[in-house]
Structure formats: C-alpha cells, structure tokens
Amino acid sequence: MISFELSVEDLADTRFAISPLNETIFSLRVLRDPGLSALHLPWRRSVLARLDPADVALLVGVVGEKLALPDFLTPRPVVFAPSFEEELAIVRRADPRVVRHDLEAALVAGPLPADDASAVRLRDAVCEALVRYWTLAFAHTWPRMRLLLEADMTYRARQLAVGGARLLFADMHPNLRWQDGVLRIDKMIGRHHVVVSGRGLLLLPSVFAHKPAPPVSPDEPPSLVYPSRGVATLWEAAPSPDPAALTALLGAPRARLLRLLEEPLATVELARRLRVTPSAVSQHLRVLYATGLVTRTRDGRQVLYRRTPLADRLAAPSR
C-alpha cells in the first residue's frame, strides 16, 4: 500500500493536469502486455505495424517486470496542459544518478546502466525513440484523447463540488480508499506513507492507466495517475454521415449546393443546374464561404467554388 496524508490545505491545493508524455509512457505497458487491456488491442496492432522493432524493444525495456515505470520518464506537469516537447525536455535533463535509481526502483529487467555515462546514453536513446513513437502513435489521436480526459475532469470537479473529497475519490478505482484524511492506494509495488505537508496533490486522468499509479519513490512530489472514464468510447468509429441531417442543419438549398460542389463550379453554372437565379446562389455561397464550407478561386473572369475537406465529410453519402 502507498498512502498520502492530506491536510485541509493539501485538499485546497489539489488540482488536475493533462500530460501527453504520461499517456505516451503509460501506453508502453500495453505494448509490453497485450492482455492488460482488451480495449486497446486494435490500437496496439495498428501502432506495432508502424513502429521500428528496435524502438519497441528499447521502450518496452524500461517497463518494470511488474509494469512499474521509472519516475524520471513521468515528470510532474508544471502547468495544466504542457506540450509533449516541453515535458520531454525535462526528461532529457534528468540526472544520470536519478535515471539509474529510478530504473532500479521500477524493477526493470535486464542489465542496468553501470555508470553515469551509460545512463546518459540510455536516457538520450529512449528520448529519441519516444519522439518517433509520439509522432507515429499519438500525434494524430491526441486531440481526441485530450477531449476525453477533459470530460473526466469536468465530472470529477462536479463530484468534488457535490460531495467533497470523499465523493471525488469514491469511484476513481476500487484500489483507492479515502478515510480520515488519508488516501490509500492498494496493490502497489512500494509500501510507504507520504505526508503531503502543504504540497497539494496532482491528479492526472489517463487513457492507458489500468489502475491508480502514484510515483514509485516517496521522495517525488505527490501525484496520482488514475484511469479516465469513457475510455471504451475512444476507439469507436464515427457515425456515418446522414444526408437528411445535412439538410436539417443547412437547409435544403445549401445542402444541394454542397452536393454539387464536389467539382469546381461557377455561380452561373450552379444556378443553371439548380434552376434558380444567380443572385440566390450567390447569397448561399457567401454564407457557405464565411463558415469555411466552400473555397473560391478566380479563373479568368469567373469565380469557381468548391467544397472544403470539412464539407466533403458533411456531404459524404451514408454507408
């Protein structure tokens, strides 16, 4: 068991943050153990098909035998939502003695760095592999992940407002218990009690955490990564576009215009096809252009309009 003793001041300083680096590091557990989460298996297969096997071996190698993670790879965010690059810059500066200590504390299998020079080489190699991993596996999906994590924080903030700390922690995870000012985290590798002493507690919802994860070392600032709500919805396919819904959203005339603008067309040609006046078409085109649904380019004496990629998705036929 690991426990945090929180005073009234610590509860007042409890806050949330979102960490792209934490998500990247916690996902390494899923790469190492496919049985950890069935929800992430499609994501795992897709990522492994794109990654260099050498990078996979290096990154999975820093996950402990019991899936613990070295603390130097998950620095505490200093702002609400740092960028991946900002957080990785902190890891790049990690003291080699800290690197060696954290690898040992996490029970990482295999030979550990024998000296500071080898620790620096390992740290730098891991950082370079993390850049490639982030680019291939996270950069395009991070906006969706962030929305899910922010939704969880909104829910937790309401729990805190309605029922205080007891309700805040009540349904985070079965391994968490709040009692008499102490937050207890069961089934942990470590066994220590941390008196927070005015430092506050940082809470980080996570897509990839399968259980609560405080720092391995009691010397690290108090923080807790916990499983986010709604992860099962993250990889669901988007619903197919509905032509009737497009008409309800834009109105029949503008919906018909968008469907015609799969190819560049001039106002006069659009009016001819729709059997309306050019001025009526121009009014609708101004609105569609102002909302980013059509683009326009000049071709000699006429202006050609065409759908934008956003409008392409809206006007796609239902499948």
Side-chain angles (χ1 to χ4, degrees):
M1 178 192 297
I2 293 177
S3 56
F4 291 122
E5 184 176 332
L6 300 164
S7 67
V8 173
E9 286 299 315
D10 293 320
L11 287 175
D13 287 337
T14 295
R15 62 184 180 86
F16 290 87
I18 292 175
S19 169
L21 180 59
N22 266 273
E23 286 306 298
T24 306
I25 299 301
F26 273 81
S27 73
L28 298 179
R29 289 171 163 176
V30 177
L31 292 190
R32 173 165 179 155
D33 183 0
L36 196 62
S37 173
L39 291 175
H40 296 311
L41 286 180
W43 173 87
R44 183 180 184 274
R45 285 193 295 268
S46 172
V47 167
L48 287 177
R50 300 194 299 269
L51 291 176
D52 185 330
D55 282 348
V56 174
L58 176 62
L59 294 174
V60 169
V62 299
V63 180
E65 293 180 352
K66 297 185 178 180
L67 301 183
L69 297 164
D71 287 337
F72 81 92
L73 289 174
T74 55
R76 178 187 173 103
V78 296
V79 296
F80 169 69
S83 69
F84 175 81
E85 293 76 15
E86 289 170 336
E87 292 192 290
L88 192 65
I90 298 173
V91 178
R92 291 185 188 276
R93 298 193 298 269
D95 188 292
R97 290 170 296 180
V98 173
V99 173
R100 296 169 65 191
H101 171 272
D102 290 354
L103 290 169
E104 183 177 355
L107 304 179
V108 170
L112 297 175
D115 50 37
D116 287 356
S118 57
V120 168
R121 287 194 296 271
L122 176 61
R123 179 199 66 192
D124 293 348
V126 168
C127 286
E128 293 307 315
L130 283 172
V131 171
R132 295 187 290 271
Y133 181 42
W134 166 264
T135 302
L136 291 172
F138 280 90
H140 64 294
T141 57
W142 176 244
R144 290 170 58 193
M145 292 184 185
R146 174 166 175 164
L147 287 175
L148 185 141
L149 298 175
E150 289 182 348
D152 177 272
M153 288 189 293
T154 300
Y155 169 81
R156 300 294 170 196
R158 186 178 186 280
Q159 293 291 89
L160 180 63
V162 171
R166 192 179 306 280
L167 193 58
L168 169 65
F169 297 116
D171 63 347
M172 274 189 178
H173 195 273
N175 290 1
L176 282 178
R177 291 182 293 122
W178 169 260
Q179 186 177 9
D180 299 329
V182 178
L183 181 64
R184 294 175 171 85
I185 307 117
D186 293 329
K187 301 179 181 179
M188 301 300 303
I189 293 176
R191 186 176 181 85
H192 51 258
H193 179 80
V194 177
V195 180
V196 177
S197 301
R199 291 175 291 173
L201 178 65
L202 182 65
L203 299 172
L204 298 107
S206 170
V207 168
F208 287 98
H210 65 289
K211 64 179 182 178
V216 175
S217 170
D219 300 324
E220 291 294 317
S223 64
L224 181 68
V225 178
Y226 66 91
S228 175
R229 293 162 51 88
V231 173
T233 66
L234 184 61
W235 309 123
E236 289 180 350
S240 299
D242 182 354
L246 180 64
T247 300
L249 175 68
L250 300 176
R254 289 170 189 165
R256 287 196 296 270
L257 266 177
L258 277 189
R259 294 192 182 100
L260 287 175
L261 288 173
E262 185 177 6
E263 58 179 319
L265 293 173
T267 303
V268 173
E269 176 61 17
L270 287 167
R272 185 189 68 80
R273 295 192 187 189
L274 293 172
R275 299 182 182 180
V276 297
T277 64
S279 61
V281 171
S282 294
Q283 291 176 11
H284 293 308
L285 287 173
R286 280 196 295 270
V287 174
L288 294 173
Y289 177 77
T291 53
L293 293 177
V294 300
T295 60
R296 62 189 183 192
T297 56
R298 181 166 292 279
D299 181 21
R301 300 181 62 183
Q302 62 181 357
V303 177
L304 301 179
Y305 293 85
R306 193 190 187 286
R307 291 193 314 234
T308 63
L310 172 60
D312 285 340
R313 294 195 295 273
L314 288 173
S318 181
R319 296 173 184 171

